[in-house]
Amino acid sequence: MRTWVAPGRVNIIGEHTDYNDGFVLPIALPLVTRCAAETTADGLVRVQSRQRPGETVLAGVDELAAARDRLPGWARYPLGVVAEFVRRGHSVPGLMLELDGAVPIGAGLSSSAALSCSVAIALRDLCAPSVADRELIDIARAAENDYAGAPTGVLDQSAAVLCTAGHALFLDVRRFTTGAAGYEQIPFDLAAFGLELLVIDTGQPHELVDGGYARRRDQCEAAATELGVPALRDVAAEADLARIADPVVRRRARHVVAENARVVAVAEKLRRGADPREIGPILVAGHASLRDDFEVSTAALDTAVAAALDAGAHGARMVGGGFGGSAIALVDRERTEAVAAAVGERFADSGFAEPRTFVVVPADGARRES
């Protein structure tokens, strides 16, 4: 069997903007999901996971669409990818998939996209070598949306496939999804400035299929409809949002409009080689917006951000869809351990479980490993 890998991601800035046709700025993580795969001739797909010892999920290639509801939730991600390849007319004779994920599940670091994209790139190499990256990303997104039931945008899958080591990926979602290039690799070398990016996993799992994420999407669509624009990306200024009658919907839209502006501002600073410390206040503003306007933060995430800032971080914010998961903090390298310790102490004082902290650097996207 050969092995393919796809990474998790953290988003430097740009949460809940992707499904509003906006801008995002992720990096891929060194943490990956591995998919060892080989084709078989029996028309069956067998899926095993190191995280599910002793469990094998079996389904017929031609029965995947009908079999969805009887499958365990975790298996819908890899089998959804196979089903999407088949739906698009690609021939899959049968498969053996052996999975092993190092991206923490539920941490808001896109473990699901790492899983889906590792399977997608394996299937492309084994069964459909003509599939380009753009379609591969769409296959993985469709598998998560339609088969697994997770209403993600295209951010996570794009990061898992397109990111490169040492860079942040500036993605214009509308341009990318309508056929233009739509993305740019921007150097993101924190070490050159004596900085590190600290991830703080609160240990409170975040789950996209529980309804909160979908409600935010619906509210954003309602705001765009009321404003008469295709998507909130098309709102020229926050002042235009005064026409939205519902104050909750107005706040949701305000986050998206302001967040798009934050992504553009951070990308421009990094593009011109500015000291990344300059983006710190923008990260803090992004967290406040997610907490107050989009209302997807939690007490643990707010505690992590506040503790990191109090301990000297230049910027910090929650990452991912929210309702749990992780935060990031931009810290001086010599202060990393002290910031992590301060967060741990604040968690203990607040009655939260001990968080997991680790430093990340921009890594490569999905690829064949062996």
Side-chain angles (χ1 to χ4, degrees), residues 62-79:
D62 296 333
E63 302 168 349
L64 286 171
R68 178 198 179 278
D69 291 342
R70 68 171 176 80
L71 298 172
W74 71 269
R76 293 176 187 176
Y77 291 89
L79 290 175

Side-chain angles (χ1 to χ4, degrees), residues 230-256:
L232 289 177
R233 179 242 181 78
D234 300 295
V235 177
E238 288 186 45
D240 296 337
L241 304 176
R243 292 188 284 125
I244 299 175
D246 187 319
V248 174
V249 173
R250 191 185 315 129
R251 289 200 305 272
R252 305 295 190 253
R254 183 168 60 199
H255 164 73
V256 174

Side-chain angles (χ1 to χ4, degrees), residues 19 26 52-53 60 66 69 81 118 127 171 211 257 268 281 320 322 335 343 358:
Y19 56 81
R52 303 277 177 168
D69 291 342
V81 172
S118 68
C127 303
L171 182 70
V257 174
E268 178 54 31
R335 291 288 301 164
V343 173
F358 51 95

Side-chain angles (χ1 to χ4, degrees), residues 82-241:
V82 181
E84 189 63 19
F85 268 90
V86 172
R87 191 188 71 79
R88 296 182 185 215
H90 300 292
S91 177
V92 179
L95 289 167
M96 179 66 202
L97 305 175
E98 296 180 357
L99 308 170
D100 185 11
V103 185
I105 296 172
L109 304 178
S110 197
S111 61
S112 60
L115 170 57
S116 299
C117 290
S118 68
V119 175
I121 194 170
L123 259 71
R124 176 173 70 178
D125 286 2
L126 290 171
C127 303
S130 64
V131 171
D133 283 349
R134 196 182 303 266
E135 184 181 3
L136 191 77
I137 289 164
D138 193 57
I139 286 171
R141 179 208 55 78
E144 293 200 48
N145 289 181
D146 303 333
Y147 205 84
T152 68
V154 75
L155 157 63
D156 298 344
Q157 299 83 11
S158 297
V161 173
L162 298 176
C163 279
T164 60
H167 296 82
L169 177 73
F170 177 68
L171 182 70
D172 179 332
V173 173
R174 173 174 288 167
R175 293 189 67 226
F176 180 73
T177 55
T178 55
Y183 66 94
E184 174 189 358
Q185 306 287 352
I186 298 179
F188 190 60
D189 184 5
L190 296 182
F193 294 88
L195 293 165
E196 291 184 323
L197 191 66
L198 181 69
V199 173
I200 306 161
D201 178 2
T202 67
Q204 295 183 345
H206 110 124
E207 179 58 70
L208 293 185
V209 297
D210 68 354
Y213 187 99
R215 283 192 295 275
R216 297 308 186 277
R217 287 194 68 150
D218 290 344
Q219 289 165 334
C220 289
E221 290 173 7
T225 298
E226 190 167 354
L227 293 171
V229 294
L232 289 177
R233 179 242 181 78
D234 300 295
V235 177
E238 288 186 45
D240 296 337
L241 304 176

